[in-house]
Amino acid sequence: MAKIRDDCLELELTPRRYQEMDDDPFILSILELLENKKAIIHDFSAVLLESEYKLLISGIEMLIMGIQDMIHLETIEPLLILSINKENGNYSFKIKIKLEDDSKFNSNLFEITCNKEKLESFAEGLKSNLENVKKPSKLP
């Protein structure tokens, strides 16, 4: 699992297994956002594309190397809008998640601030999890 946190908020994004096989497979994921160790969002139905994980990882790596000052990622299921900006030697995550709940959309904006080491750890966690995602079992 890949986690990023500050004093109040913690974001966990965990790829679990391939949902289907093709050029850009969907990956069943767990998306969790905690505030003061209490779950705000705990979504087991998150389905992100492999390319979205790779885009996030490479964007974080370019931020760390100083090649760019920000990244922006929008996923489809759930609608996850994630921006990471480099500000005053730290990194600011702006997280907006829209989940469909009884035909109404819930949406909130959250922010996590972290240092370079935490950002590197988050990227390494994502990379390791993505490399070790198991393929679905074959049915007889």
Side-chain angles (χ1 to χ4, degrees), residues 79-117:
L79 177 58
L80 168 67
I81 302 168
L82 177 64
S83 297
I84 308 172
N85 301 304
K86 186 173 183 180
E87 300 173 356
N88 302 321
N90 285 317
Y91 299 89
S92 173
F93 277 69
K94 289 187 175 57
I95 306 156
K96 189 168 190 172
I97 302 168
K98 290 186 179 183
L99 300 171
E100 191 169 350
D101 182 21
D102 297 329
S103 30
K104 296 178 188 174
F105 281 97
N106 292 330
S107 173
N108 292 301
L109 180 64
F110 302 95
E111 189 169 344
I112 296 174
T113 302
C114 69
N115 60 24
K116 182 179 179 180
E117 291 77 27

Side-chain angles (χ1 to χ4, degrees), residues 16-32:
R16 283 297 183 203
R17 63 177 174 84
Y18 286 106
Q19 185 97 6
E20 58 184 64
M21 300 298 287
D22 61 23
D23 290 340
D24 192 5
F26 287 99
I27 297 175
L28 182 63
S29 308
I30 298 172
L31 174 66
E32 185 171 56

